[in-house]
Amino acid sequence: MMHSGPAPVQCGPKLVHGERRARPISSADLLSSLPTSITKRFTRDTEVFGQGGSADYLYEVRTGAVRSYTLLEDGRRQIGSFFFPGDVFGIEAGITHQFSTDAIVDSSVALLKWPAGPMAAHDLQFVYKLQIITAEQLRHAQEHSVLLGCMNARERMATFLLDMGRRYGLAGDLIELIMSRQDIADYLGLTIETVSRRLSEMAESETIELTSTRWVRLRNLRTLMELTQ
Amino acid sequence: MMHSGPAPVQCGPKLVHGERRARPISSADLLSSLPTSITKRFTRDTEVFGQGGSADYLYEVRTGAVRSYTLLEDGRRQIGSFFFPGDVFGIEAGITHQFSTDAIVDSSVALLKWPAGPMAAHDLQFVYKLQIITAEQLRHAQEHSVLLGCMNARERMATFLLDMGRRYGLAGDLIELIMSRQDIADYLGLTIETVSRRLSEMAESETIELTSTRWVRLRNLRTLMELTQ
DNA sequence: CGAATACTTGATAGTCCTCAACTCAAGTGG
DNA sequence: CCACTTGAGTTGAGGACTATCAAGTATTCG
C-alpha cells in the first residue's frame, strides 16, 4: 500500500475521474487590496511566527519563500506547505498558531492585523475571500495527505517536482528548488537520503536533469506524470 | 524518520510547547440554525456525494457516520476524515467535489443548498461560521499530515484511538470503532494487517482491551498518550 | 583557499507490506 | 436449530522499500 505497487512499468496512482490534483494556492489578492497591511523583511531561516504564538496577523509572501511546519519534541518535523509570492498563510481556527513558519530565503512578507474581536470583520468581501483561500489550503492539505498516505518515494518526488514546476517554474522545463533537500524530505515524509537517491535515479533514467543541486530540468514530463496523475 | 525512533521505551512524538493536537471538528451549528436545510437518509456504504460531482450543498451529519476519501485509479484509497453527528462536511474551494463521501453505517445527513452564485451569501454570520469550520478542518488535515508523515504504525494507532475516544467515546474508557479495519487502515496510511497487528500488540501489553472487534477499552491512557502527546 | 555545510552514495537493518492460511462472526436456508 | 456460506478479522512467513549509519564528494561562505 505504502511501499506500493508492481515495481516494473507501474503506471502511477491516478485519480478516478481523471482529475488533476495539485495547483497553486492562489491569494485572490487578499492583503494587497487592503490599506492596513505593512511589509516586513525576514532573513533566511528566521521565524515569521511560531507554534503557540497568538494569531494576530494574516501574512502574504511578497518575495522569497516560506515554509510552515510542525515540530515534534524529538526533532521530527513535518512541513505542511511551502509558500511563494502571492500565497497567503497564517490562517488559524483558534487564537494561537498551530504551526511554525520561517523564511527559506531572505523574504519580504505583508502583514495584516486581524480586525479586533470576533465578527469585527464586517467586510463581507474580506471574509468571503478569506473563506476561498482557507478552502484552497484545505484542499492542498487533503491532497498532501494522499501523497503521504498512499504514495511511495518515487511517486512523491515526481508529484513534488511537477507541483513545484507549476508554482515556482522558470523557463518552462527548468525549475529552481529553492529549499534544501532536508526541507523536501520533511515535506514528503522521507529522509534526505531517499530524496537524494530518487532524484539521482530520475536523472539516471533521463526523466530529469540535475543542472545543479538547486536546479532541475524536467526532461520527460510524460514519465513524471505517469507517476502522479 | 518514518519508521522511527529508539524502539525500547520510546517516549513518543511530542509537540514542542507541549500542546494537544487532535480535537473534535465542531460544527458551530451551522446548518441546524438555518431553515433551508433538509434531511436525507443514507444506508450503509452508499455515497453521499462523489469526487467530481458539483458542490451544490453543504452537509452535516445528524446520526451515523460518514467517511471522506480520495480514490486512485489503481484502487488505493486515502480516507481524509471521519465525520460524526454534528460535523459539517462538503466544503470545497471550487465548484466540484475534490473527494468522495459515503455513509459508514445507516446515517441521516442534513443538506443545505449553497446560496446561488458567488457572493450571494449575504449573511455575514453564515460566511463567518463557515470560515471557522473550514479553518478547523484545515487544522485537522494538517495534524493528519503530521501523523502520516512522521509517525510509525504504533504511534498512528495510539493517536487514532485517543482521537476516537474524544470524538465518539462512550462510557469513559470504552469506545466503539464504528468503521472497519480497512477504513482505519486507509485513514492511517497502513494496511489492514498492520492495523490488526498493532491492536493485538496493544491488547497483549494491556494498553487496551479488545472487548469485541468493534469495541475497545482503553486500559492505560498514559501509555497511549506517551505514544502521541 | 580552507572550513563548514550540504549533498550523494554505499552497506546494512528494520518496519511495514504482501501473500497465504486460519479463525471468527453473522446471515441464510434447509 | 444447525450445517453452510460469506465476509471480516487475525496470525504467520517472507520480501520489499525505506531508514539508519557511515563515508565520501561537492558547494558555500568567510
Side-chain angles (χ1 to χ4, degrees):
Chain A
M1 171 134 288
M2 198 153 154
H3 310 143
S4 84
V9 196
Q10 61 185 3
C11 221
K14 299 194 191 314
L15 282 173
V16 287
H17 307 302
E19 282 171 300
R20 214 23 36 76
R21 284 198 344 298
R23 73 212 58 74
I25 301 177
S26 82
S27 73
D29 282 319
L30 185 72
L31 278 68
S32 45
S33 61
L34 289 165
T36 43
S37 70
I38 59 165
T39 299
K40 251 185 165 175
R41 301 203 141 272
F42 296 90
T43 57
R44 189 171 187 275
D45 288 331
T46 55
E47 186 178 81
V48 177
F49 61 76
Q51 205 169 338
S54 55
D56 298 329
Y57 294 89
L58 272 178
Y59 304 81
E60 182 181 312
V61 181
R62 286 289 158 80
T63 65
V66 170
R67 63 182 164 239
S68 73
Y69 59 92
T70 297
L71 259 190
L72 303 182
E73 277 192 354
D74 60 4
R76 283 181 274 181
R77 182 181 68 156
Q78 178 62 44
I79 293 182
S81 298
F82 294 114
F83 297 108
F84 301 114
D87 293 337
V88 172
F89 63 100
I91 301 170
E92 298 287 353
I95 55 169
T96 59
H97 287 294
Q98 299 296 318
F99 50 89
S100 304
T101 54
D102 43 39
I104 295 174
V105 293
D106 292 356
S107 309
S108 66
V109 175
L111 281 71
L112 170 69
K113 196 163 175 63
W114 274 100
M119 285 306 293
H122 15 256
D123 184 356
L124 180 59
Q125 184 90 12
F126 174 81
V127 182
Y128 185 78
K129 277 185 177 176
L130 186 60
Q131 165 61 19
I132 300 289
I133 295 172
T134 311
E136 279 175 358
Q137 296 194 1
L138 174 58
R139 184 186 50 192
H140 173 268
Q142 286 165 339
E143 285 169 3
H144 203 231
S145 288
V146 175
L147 179 145
L148 295 171
C150 290
M151 296 188 186
N152 62 30
R154 214 181 320 274
E155 294 162 346
R156 295 184 200 193
M157 272 311 311
T159 304
F160 175 71
L161 289 175
L162 288 175
D163 192 33
M164 285 303 293
R166 233 172 278 127
R167 296 179 57 195
Y168 206 70
L170 263 109
D173 61 345
L174 196 60
I175 59 176
E176 182 185 6
L177 300 182
I178 202 171
M179 69 293 289
S180 69
R181 296 289 191 271
Q182 187 63 61
D183 285 337
I184 299 174
D186 290 347
Y187 179 63
L188 299 179
L190 301 170
T191 58
I192 185 176
E193 294 96 332
T194 298
V195 167
S196 186
R197 270 185 254 270
R198 289 293 150 304
L199 283 175
S200 299
E201 182 188 69
M202 286 177 172
E204 176 63 29
S205 66
E206 294 187 327
T207 306
I208 63 172
E209 178 185 347
L210 296 169
T211 307
S212 73
T213 39
R214 299 271 170 128
W215 287 87
V216 178
R217 184 184 307 280
L218 307 186
R219 307 198 78 168
N220 194 334
L221 273 181
R222 182 168 186 171
T223 303
L224 282 175
M225 288 173 64
E226 279 174 354
L227 282 169
T228 62
Q229 214 174 122
Chain B
M1 172 134 289
M2 199 155 158
H3 310 148
S4 83
V9 196
Q10 63 186 1
C11 221
K14 301 197 191 308
L15 282 173
V16 287
H17 307 304
E19 282 170 302
R20 215 18 43 72
R21 283 201 343 298
R23 73 210 57 76
I25 302 175
S26 80
S27 74
D29 280 318
L30 186 73
L31 278 70
S32 45
S33 61
L34 289 164
T36 44
S37 70
I38 58 164
T39 299
K40 252 185 166 177
R41 301 204 140 270
F42 295 90
T43 57
R44 190 173 187 273
D45 287 331
T46 55
E47 186 177 82
V48 176
F49 60 77
Q51 206 169 339
S54 55
D56 298 329
Y57 294 89
L58 273 178
Y59 304 81
E60 181 181 313
V61 180
R62 286 291 159 81
T63 65
V66 170
R67 63 182 165 238
S68 74
Y69 59 92
T70 297
L71 258 189
L72 302 181
E73 277 191 354
D74 61 3
R76 282 180 274 181
R77 182 181 67 157
Q78 179 62 43
I79 293 183
S81 298
F82 295 113
F83 297 108
F84 301 113
D87 294 337
V88 172
F89 63 100
I91 300 170
E92 298 286 353
I95 55 170
T96 59
H97 287 293
Q98 300 295 320
F99 50 89
S100 304
T101 54
D102 43 39
I104 295 175
V105 293
D106 293 357
S107 308
S108 66
V109 175
L111 281 73
L112 169 69
K113 195 164 176 65
W114 273 99
M119 286 305 293
H122 18 256
D123 183 357
L124 180 59
Q125 184 89 13
F126 173 81
V127 182
Y128 185 77
K129 277 185 177 177
L130 187 61
Q131 165 62 18
I132 300 289
I133 295 174
T134 311
E136 279 175 356
Q137 296 195 1
L138 174 58
R139 185 186 50 190
H140 173 268
Q142 286 166 339
E143 285 169 3
H144 204 230
S145 288
V146 175
L147 180 145
L148 295 171
C150 289
M151 295 188 187
N152 62 29
R154 214 180 318 274
E155 294 162 346
R156 295 184 199 193
M157 272 310 311
T159 303
F160 175 71
L161 289 176
L162 286 175
D163 192 32
M164 286 302 293
R166 233 172 279 128
R167 296 179 57 196
Y168 206 70
L170 264 109
D173 60 346
L174 196 61
I175 61 177
E176 181 184 6
L177 300 181
I178 203 171
M179 68 293 288
S180 69
R181 296 290 192 270
Q182 187 63 61
D183 285 337
I184 299 174
D186 290 348
Y187 179 64
L188 298 180
L190 302 170
T191 58
I192 185 176
E193 294 96 332
T194 298
V195 168
S196 187
R197 270 185 254 269
R198 291 284 117 19
L199 283 175
S200 297
E201 181 186 68
M202 287 176 172
E204 176 63 28
S205 66
E206 294 188 326
T207 306
I208 63 172
E209 177 186 346
L210 295 169
T211 307
S212 73
T213 38
R214 299 272 169 126
W215 286 87
V216 179
R217 184 186 305 281
L218 307 185
R219 305 198 80 171
N220 194 336
L221 273 182
R222 183 167 185 172
T223 303
L224 283 173
M225 288 173 64
E226 278 174 355
L227 283 168
T228 62
Q229 212 173 126

mmCIF file of all heavy atoms in Angstrom, chain B residues 113-128:
data_model
loop_
_atom_site.group_PDB
_atom_site.id
_atom_site.type_symbol
_atom_site.label_atom_id
_atom_site.label_comp_id
_atom_site.label_asym_id
_atom_site.label_seq_id
_atom_site.Cartn_x
_atom_site.Cartn_y
_atom_site.Cartn_z
ATOM 1 N N LYS B 113 -28.489 23.778 0.600
ATOM 2 C CA LYS B 113 -28.089 24.217 -0.730
ATOM 3 C C LYS B 113 -27.355 25.543 -0.617
ATOM 4 O O LYS B 113 -27.781 26.449 0.091
ATOM 5 C CB LYS B 113 -29.318 24.372 -1.626
ATOM 6 C CG LYS B 113 -28.961 24.463 -3.106
ATOM 7 C CD LYS B 113 -30.196 24.230 -3.982
ATOM 8 C CE LYS B 113 -29.868 24.422 -5.448
ATOM 9 N NZ LYS B 113 -28.907 23.410 -5.925
ATOM 10 N N TRP B 114 -26.244 25.618 -1.324
ATOM 11 C CA TRP B 114 -25.469 26.854 -1.332
ATOM 12 C C TRP B 114 -26.300 27.991 -1.907
ATOM 13 O O TRP B 114 -27.045 27.794 -2.860
ATOM 14 C CB TRP B 114 -24.240 26.710 -2.221
ATOM 15 C CG TRP B 114 -23.063 26.136 -1.535
ATOM 16 C CD1 TRP B 114 -22.649 24.843 -1.587
ATOM 17 C CD2 TRP B 114 -22.145 26.817 -0.695
ATOM 18 N NE1 TRP B 114 -21.529 24.684 -0.829
ATOM 19 C CE2 TRP B 114 -21.185 25.882 -0.276
ATOM 20 C CE3 TRP B 114 -22.023 28.137 -0.258
ATOM 21 C CZ2 TRP B 114 -20.125 26.218 0.569
ATOM 22 C CZ3 TRP B 114 -20.976 28.466 0.581
ATOM 23 C CH2 TRP B 114 -20.046 27.518 0.991
ATOM 24 N N PRO B 115 -26.145 29.158 -1.325
ATOM 25 C CA PRO B 115 -26.789 30.314 -1.930
ATOM 26 C C PRO B 115 -26.327 30.401 -3.376
ATOM 27 O O PRO B 115 -25.142 30.275 -3.650
ATOM 28 C CB PRO B 115 -26.241 31.482 -1.110
ATOM 29 C CG PRO B 115 -25.826 30.889 0.183
ATOM 30 C CD PRO B 115 -25.383 29.497 -0.118
ATOM 31 N N ALA B 116 -27.269 30.589 -4.297
ATOM 32 C CA ALA B 116 -26.919 30.578 -5.716
ATOM 33 C C ALA B 116 -25.941 31.691 -6.065
ATOM 34 O O ALA B 116 -26.124 32.840 -5.672
ATOM 35 C CB ALA B 116 -28.181 30.704 -6.560
ATOM 36 N N GLY B 117 -24.925 31.337 -6.794
ATOM 37 C CA GLY B 117 -23.968 32.331 -7.270
ATOM 38 C C GLY B 117 -22.969 32.745 -6.222
ATOM 39 O O GLY B 117 -23.240 32.658 -5.034
ATOM 40 N N PRO B 118 -21.826 33.193 -6.688
ATOM 41 C CA PRO B 118 -20.794 33.623 -5.763
ATOM 42 C C PRO B 118 -21.228 34.897 -5.040
ATOM 43 O O PRO B 118 -21.917 35.737 -5.607
ATOM 44 C CB PRO B 118 -19.589 33.885 -6.670
ATOM 45 C CG PRO B 118 -20.176 34.167 -8.003
ATOM 46 C CD PRO B 118 -21.427 33.363 -8.090
ATOM 47 N N MET B 119 -20.833 35.006 -3.834
ATOM 48 C CA MET B 119 -21.113 36.197 -3.034
ATOM 49 C C MET B 119 -22.588 36.403 -2.731
ATOM 50 O O MET B 119 -22.970 37.423 -2.180
ATOM 51 C CB MET B 119 -20.580 37.454 -3.731
ATOM 52 C CG MET B 119 -19.079 37.583 -3.665
ATOM 53 S SD MET B 119 -18.503 37.513 -1.968
ATOM 54 C CE MET B 119 -19.191 39.033 -1.341
ATOM 55 N N ALA B 120 -23.403 35.425 -3.092
ATOM 56 C CA ALA B 120 -24.822 35.568 -2.789
ATOM 57 C C ALA B 120 -25.076 35.284 -1.317
ATOM 58 O O ALA B 120 -26.158 35.494 -0.807
ATOM 59 C CB ALA B 120 -25.645 34.640 -3.657
ATOM 60 N N ALA B 121 -24.022 34.775 -0.663
ATOM 61 C CA ALA B 121 -24.150 34.514 0.767
ATOM 62 C C ALA B 121 -24.042 35.821 1.521
ATOM 63 O O ALA B 121 -23.043 36.125 2.134
ATOM 64 C CB ALA B 121 -23.066 33.544 1.221
ATOM 65 N N HIS B 122 -25.097 36.622 1.449
ATOM 66 C CA HIS B 122 -25.016 37.948 2.044
ATOM 67 C C HIS B 122 -25.126 37.929 3.554
ATOM 68 O O HIS B 122 -25.152 38.958 4.189
ATOM 69 C CB HIS B 122 -26.082 38.877 1.463
ATOM 70 C CG HIS B 122 -27.184 38.148 0.794
ATOM 71 N ND1 HIS B 122 -27.274 38.073 -0.583
ATOM 72 C CD2 HIS B 122 -28.207 37.424 1.289
ATOM 73 C CE1 HIS B 122 -28.337 37.346 -0.881
ATOM 74 N NE2 HIS B 122 -28.914 36.951 0.218
ATOM 75 N N ASP B 123 -25.207 36.711 4.068
ATOM 76 C CA ASP B 123 -25.277 36.615 5.517
ATOM 77 C C ASP B 123 -23.870 36.505 6.087
ATOM 78 O O ASP B 123 -23.219 35.470 5.992
ATOM 79 C CB ASP B 123 -26.099 35.381 5.900
ATOM 80 C CG ASP B 123 -26.268 35.260 7.397
ATOM 81 O OD1 ASP B 123 -25.701 36.101 8.136
ATOM 82 O OD2 ASP B 123 -26.970 34.346 7.834
ATOM 83 N N LEU B 124 -23.407 37.582 6.662
ATOM 84 C CA LEU B 124 -22.045 37.611 7.190
ATOM 85 C C LEU B 124 -21.842 36.544 8.252
ATOM 86 O O LEU B 124 -20.834 35.864 8.291
ATOM 87 C CB LEU B 124 -21.745 38.999 7.758
ATOM 88 C CG LEU B 124 -20.350 39.199 8.354
ATOM 89 C CD1 LEU B 124 -19.283 38.936 7.307
ATOM 90 C CD2 LEU B 124 -20.211 40.600 8.918
ATOM 91 N N GLN B 125 -22.827 36.389 9.091
ATOM 92 C CA GLN B 125 -22.762 35.398 10.164
ATOM 93 C C GLN B 125 -22.500 33.998 9.603
ATOM 94 O O GLN B 125 -21.688 33.236 10.113
ATOM 95 C CB GLN B 125 -24.087 35.402 10.935
ATOM 96 C CG GLN B 125 -24.113 34.479 12.143
ATOM 97 C CD GLN B 125 -23.623 35.199 13.391
ATOM 98 O OE1 GLN B 125 -23.493 36.408 13.406
ATOM 99 N NE2 GLN B 125 -23.338 34.435 14.430
ATOM 100 N N PHE B 126 -23.199 33.712 8.511
ATOM 101 C CA PHE B 126 -23.060 32.407 7.881
ATOM 102 C C PHE B 126 -21.650 32.202 7.346
ATOM 103 O O PHE B 126 -21.004 31.197 7.623
ATOM 104 C CB PHE B 126 -24.080 32.263 6.747
ATOM 105 C CG PHE B 126 -23.908 31.012 5.934
ATOM 106 C CD1 PHE B 126 -24.412 29.804 6.392
ATOM 107 C CD2 PHE B 126 -23.242 31.046 4.721
ATOM 108 C CE1 PHE B 126 -24.242 28.645 5.655
ATOM 109 C CE2 PHE B 126 -23.070 29.888 3.975
ATOM 110 C CZ PHE B 126 -23.570 28.691 4.446
ATOM 111 N N VAL B 127 -21.160 33.153 6.586
ATOM 112 C CA VAL B 127 -19.822 33.043 5.997
ATOM 113 C C VAL B 127 -18.779 32.963 7.098
ATOM 114 O O VAL B 127 -17.796 32.222 7.005
ATOM 115 C CB VAL B 127 -19.519 34.227 5.065
ATOM 116 C CG1 VAL B 127 -18.141 34.065 4.429
ATOM 117 C CG2 VAL B 127 -20.566 34.334 3.981
ATOM 118 N N TYR B 128 -19.017 33.685 8.161
ATOM 119 C CA TYR B 128 -18.069 33.693 9.267
ATOM 120 C C TYR B 128 -17.987 32.319 9.923
ATOM 121 O O TYR B 128 -16.911 31.783 10.154
ATOM 122 C CB TYR B 128 -18.477 34.753 10.294
ATOM 123 C CG TYR B 128 -17.485 34.905 11.409
ATOM 124 C CD1 TYR B 128 -16.295 35.597 11.207
ATOM 125 C CD2 TYR B 128 -17.731 34.353 12.661
ATOM 126 C CE1 TYR B 128 -15.377 35.737 12.231
ATOM 127 C CE2 TYR B 128 -16.814 34.484 13.685
ATOM 128 C CZ TYR B 128 -15.646 35.176 13.469
ATOM 129 O OH TYR B 128 -14.736 35.309 14.484
#
